Amino acid sequence: QSWSRGMSYCLHSESHLDTGPIYVRENGKLHVVNQGSGGIRDVTPKTRPFRLFSRGFSVELCMNREDDRARRQRTDHFIFTYTKEGNLRYSAKSLFSLVLGYISDNVDHIDSLIGFPEQIAEKLFSAAEARQKFTEPVTGLRALQKFTEAYGNLVLCSLCLRNRYLVISEKLEEIKSFRELTCLDLSCCKLGDEHELLEHLTQEALSSVKQLLLKDNSLSDAGLRRMTAPVRVLKKGLENLLVLDLSCNPKITDVGIGYLLSFKKLNCLDISGTGLKDVNAVIKRLQTQIGLVHSKVPLKEFDHSNCKTEGWAEQTVLQWEQAAMEAIKPRDNLRSRTAALRFYGKTHRIEEVVKCKLVEAETKASGNLQFYKEKVPNCHLPLKKEVVGSHELKNNKKRALTEQERERTSKQKHLCLTVEDWDLLNTY
């Protein structure tokens, strides 16, 4: 009792602050001290809720409606670097880099870039490319068209889509937006005669193409007729074509080769693995009408090493290829299901794509039909200091007369048209 009275006296002598209940353990039991009577109750205490904050504390809930992109922009204003001692330091970015980042985030809203400096436009393109703006389906196409309209071959001067038929099907409109290409490789894509991209080759935007590789694309005479129609009729389209690869297209016959005679500037031609009936007649025809000579050695122009993707959009095309490869990867959770369906015969097995290597072996077996144009010797040679003798001049005159006679006889031979030539003329 004396101990409890002393405890109650201490409690009353303390300040008026509410300290809460006081528990005392005595003889193995827990007792609560009753402050009002100063005694101890042997009852089980009622639990009192614990307060983390005082009664006057209030909390205001604020919703942050900014998206993650805005937060990222706010933190991108600084550059964090480490010193040699290992200390972290930060510095503010320049105003130019901040403006460049803002414009690249909204690059699809640009009206036009015509007349804009090329050096800054290249940095803007690379900044938008790093943010993968050109991979978006609608806004990416709109932004890419603004760059290609203003800068043409700087965006892309050479495009290699060899064995990339998935990229062509997914990004056809983006590929059609490229202008002033000089080299285009569409080998092993199985496009066929009716593909939209082959029709786009005849447009004025691709009149600058000098090297066109259409190896193993299931082309026929009808496809060549459509592709050469603007050149034959309007003198437009692929009129500047220098190198053409049509190998591994067995549906192309002698009639289709006749459509290629409209390419007067053609320097190299590959028709190996085509369905020619009279090879010797085709060789003579190409030599007499276009000046292409049959090569006994494989030419370097058709080894598919010269045509590469070059330009500002090189990484953009790489991003398209990676996205296409990710789309065709089988998922882990679907492998067992597809395997079971194939076991029960509910789905057909997907046949593997025929690679160009198999077709190359067939072309080697059938023969190499590559043609090139011989270089004309330069007539404007510097005059020699020594005086040429009269006998040398007489020999040169005799040689010139014999060459003129040969040309006359060859022209007379060519004037005699065969039945096949008249049939070809009637098809135009």
Side-chain angles (χ1 to χ4, degrees), residues 224-236:
L224 293 184
R225 184 178 182 180
R226 292 178 59 188
M227 191 173 66
T228 59
V231 182
R232 290 185 287 109
V233 179
L234 303 174
K235 304 299 180 182
K236 294 182 179 179

PDB file of all heavy atoms in Angstrom, residues 224-236:
ATOM      1  N   LEU A 224       8.688  -7.035-115.265  1.00  0.00           N
ATOM      2  CA  LEU A 224       9.665  -6.199-115.968  1.00  0.00           C
ATOM      3  C   LEU A 224       8.983  -5.220-116.918  1.00  0.00           C
ATOM      4  O   LEU A 224       9.450  -4.100-117.112  1.00  0.00           O
ATOM      5  CB  LEU A 224      10.639  -7.084-116.748  1.00  0.00           C
ATOM      6  CG  LEU A 224      11.569  -7.968-115.917  1.00  0.00           C
ATOM      7  CD1 LEU A 224      12.532  -8.707-116.815  1.00  0.00           C
ATOM      8  CD2 LEU A 224      12.329  -7.158-114.887  1.00  0.00           C
ATOM      9  N   ARG A 225       7.869  -5.646-117.498  1.00  0.00           N
ATOM     10  CA  ARG A 225       7.143  -4.743-118.395  1.00  0.00           C
ATOM     11  C   ARG A 225       6.579  -3.556-117.641  1.00  0.00           C
ATOM     12  O   ARG A 225       6.661  -2.411-118.122  1.00  0.00           O
ATOM     13  CB  ARG A 225       6.027  -5.520-119.075  1.00  0.00           C
ATOM     14  CG  ARG A 225       5.255  -4.725-120.107  1.00  0.00           C
ATOM     15  CD  ARG A 225       4.196  -5.568-120.774  1.00  0.00           C
ATOM     16  NE  ARG A 225       3.492  -4.819-121.807  1.00  0.00           N
ATOM     17  CZ  ARG A 225       2.517  -5.318-122.545  1.00  0.00           C
ATOM     18  NH1 ARG A 225       2.130  -6.583-122.362  1.00  0.00           N
ATOM     19  NH2 ARG A 225       1.919  -4.588-123.463  1.00  0.00           N
ATOM     20  N   ARG A 226       6.043  -3.793-116.460  1.00  0.00           N
ATOM     21  CA  ARG A 226       5.509  -2.691-115.655  1.00  0.00           C
ATOM     22  C   ARG A 226       6.624  -1.797-115.133  1.00  0.00           C
ATOM     23  O   ARG A 226       6.472  -0.579-115.053  1.00  0.00           O
ATOM     24  CB  ARG A 226       4.714  -3.255-114.481  1.00  0.00           C
ATOM     25  CG  ARG A 226       3.437  -3.960-114.873  1.00  0.00           C
ATOM     26  CD  ARG A 226       2.741  -4.523-113.657  1.00  0.00           C
ATOM     27  NE  ARG A 226       2.414  -3.490-112.695  1.00  0.00           N
ATOM     28  CZ  ARG A 226       1.946  -3.729-111.473  1.00  0.00           C
ATOM     29  NH1 ARG A 226       1.759  -4.981-111.070  1.00  0.00           N
ATOM     30  NH2 ARG A 226       1.653  -2.750-110.671  1.00  0.00           N
ATOM     31  N   MET A 227       7.753  -2.392-114.778  1.00  0.00           N
ATOM     32  CA  MET A 227       8.846  -1.622-114.195  1.00  0.00           C
ATOM     33  C   MET A 227       9.531  -0.735-115.221  1.00  0.00           C
ATOM     34  O   MET A 227      10.025   0.353-114.896  1.00  0.00           O
ATOM     35  CB  MET A 227       9.857  -2.581-113.561  1.00  0.00           C
ATOM     36  CG  MET A 227      10.899  -1.905-112.688  1.00  0.00           C
ATOM     37  SD  MET A 227      11.923  -3.101-111.811  1.00  0.00           S
ATOM     38  CE  MET A 227      12.770  -3.864-113.185  1.00  0.00           C
ATOM     39  N   THR A 228       9.560  -1.159-116.464  1.00  0.00           N
ATOM     40  CA  THR A 228      10.227  -0.393-117.520  1.00  0.00           C
ATOM     41  C   THR A 228       9.286   0.465-118.349  1.00  0.00           C
ATOM     42  O   THR A 228       9.740   1.160-119.267  1.00  0.00           O
ATOM     43  CB  THR A 228      10.970  -1.362-118.459  1.00  0.00           C
ATOM     44  OG1 THR A 228      10.018  -2.292-119.017  1.00  0.00           O
ATOM     45  CG2 THR A 228      12.045  -2.123-117.710  1.00  0.00           C
ATOM     46  N   ALA A 229       7.992   0.429-118.063  1.00  0.00           N
ATOM     47  CA  ALA A 229       7.021   1.181-118.861  1.00  0.00           C
ATOM     48  C   ALA A 229       7.285   2.691-118.844  1.00  0.00           C
ATOM     49  O   ALA A 229       7.246   3.330-119.911  1.00  0.00           O
ATOM     50  CB  ALA A 229       5.602   0.871-118.387  1.00  0.00           C
ATOM     51  N   PRO A 230       7.564   3.338-117.698  1.00  0.00           N
ATOM     52  CA  PRO A 230       7.826   4.784-117.741  1.00  0.00           C
ATOM     53  C   PRO A 230       9.060   5.146-118.549  1.00  0.00           C
ATOM     54  O   PRO A 230       9.103   6.202-119.192  1.00  0.00           O
ATOM     55  CB  PRO A 230       8.007   5.148-116.262  1.00  0.00           C
ATOM     56  CG  PRO A 230       7.310   4.076-115.508  1.00  0.00           C
ATOM     57  CD  PRO A 230       7.515   2.838-116.305  1.00  0.00           C
ATOM     58  N   VAL A 231      10.074   4.273-118.543  1.00  0.00           N
ATOM     59  CA  VAL A 231      11.289   4.571-119.312  1.00  0.00           C
ATOM     60  C   VAL A 231      11.027   4.402-120.794  1.00  0.00           C
ATOM     61  O   VAL A 231      11.484   5.206-121.623  1.00  0.00           O
ATOM     62  CB  VAL A 231      12.437   3.650-118.844  1.00  0.00           C
ATOM     63  CG1 VAL A 231      13.724   3.973-119.580  1.00  0.00           C
ATOM     64  CG2 VAL A 231      12.652   3.790-117.350  1.00  0.00           C
ATOM     65  N   ARG A 232      10.289   3.387-121.169  1.00  0.00           N
ATOM     66  CA  ARG A 232      10.035   3.116-122.583  1.00  0.00           C
ATOM     67  C   ARG A 232       9.092   4.144-123.212  1.00  0.00           C
ATOM     68  O   ARG A 232       9.242   4.521-124.365  1.00  0.00           O
ATOM     69  CB  ARG A 232       9.459   1.712-122.742  1.00  0.00           C
ATOM     70  CG  ARG A 232      10.458   0.608-122.455  1.00  0.00           C
ATOM     71  CD  ARG A 232       9.906  -0.773-122.743  1.00  0.00           C
ATOM     72  NE  ARG A 232       8.927  -1.197-121.750  1.00  0.00           N
ATOM     73  CZ  ARG A 232       7.624  -1.298-121.966  1.00  0.00           C
ATOM     74  NH1 ARG A 232       7.126  -0.989-123.141  1.00  0.00           N
ATOM     75  NH2 ARG A 232       6.810  -1.705-121.009  1.00  0.00           N
ATOM     76  N   VAL A 233       8.102   4.598-122.420  1.00  0.00           N
ATOM     77  CA  VAL A 233       7.062   5.469-122.974  1.00  0.00           C
ATOM     78  C   VAL A 233       7.363   6.941-122.716  1.00  0.00           C
ATOM     79  O   VAL A 233       7.338   7.773-123.632  1.00  0.00           O
ATOM     80  CB  VAL A 233       5.689   5.075-122.402  1.00  0.00           C
ATOM     81  CG1 VAL A 233       4.606   5.984-122.952  1.00  0.00           C
ATOM     82  CG2 VAL A 233       5.374   3.614-122.712  1.00  0.00           C
ATOM     83  N   LEU A 234       7.662   7.289-121.467  1.00  0.00           N
ATOM     84  CA  LEU A 234       7.796   8.691-121.061  1.00  0.00           C
ATOM     85  C   LEU A 234       9.233   9.129-120.829  1.00  0.00           C
ATOM     86  O   LEU A 234       9.453  10.294-120.495  1.00  0.00           O
ATOM     87  CB  LEU A 234       6.995   8.931-119.778  1.00  0.00           C
ATOM     88  CG  LEU A 234       5.502   8.599-119.838  1.00  0.00           C
ATOM     89  CD1 LEU A 234       4.882   8.742-118.459  1.00  0.00           C
ATOM     90  CD2 LEU A 234       4.799   9.499-120.839  1.00  0.00           C
ATOM     91  N   LYS A 235      10.185   8.214-120.969  1.00  0.00           N
ATOM     92  CA  LYS A 235      11.590   8.520-120.698  1.00  0.00           C
ATOM     93  C   LYS A 235      11.783   9.019-119.268  1.00  0.00           C
ATOM     94  O   LYS A 235      12.590   9.911-118.999  1.00  0.00           O
ATOM     95  CB  LYS A 235      12.132   9.567-121.686  1.00  0.00           C
ATOM     96  CG  LYS A 235      11.992   9.190-123.150  1.00  0.00           C
ATOM     97  CD  LYS A 235      12.757   7.917-123.480  1.00  0.00           C
ATOM     98  CE  LYS A 235      12.605   7.547-124.938  1.00  0.00           C
ATOM     99  NZ  LYS A 235      13.324   6.272-125.262  1.00  0.00           N
ATOM    100  N   LYS A 236      11.063   8.428-118.345  1.00  0.00           N
ATOM    101  CA  LYS A 236      11.170   8.759-116.921  1.00  0.00           C
ATOM    102  C   LYS A 236      11.291   7.465-116.137  1.00  0.00           C
ATOM    103  O   LYS A 236      11.256   6.382-116.688  1.00  0.00           O
ATOM    104  CB  LYS A 236       9.947   9.557-116.455  1.00  0.00           C
ATOM    105  CG  LYS A 236       9.815  10.922-117.080  1.00  0.00           C
ATOM    106  CD  LYS A 236       8.601  11.652-116.527  1.00  0.00           C
ATOM    107  CE  LYS A 236       8.472  13.041-117.127  1.00  0.00           C
ATOM    108  NZ  LYS A 236       7.271  13.767-116.610  1.00  0.00           N
TER     109      LYS A 236
END
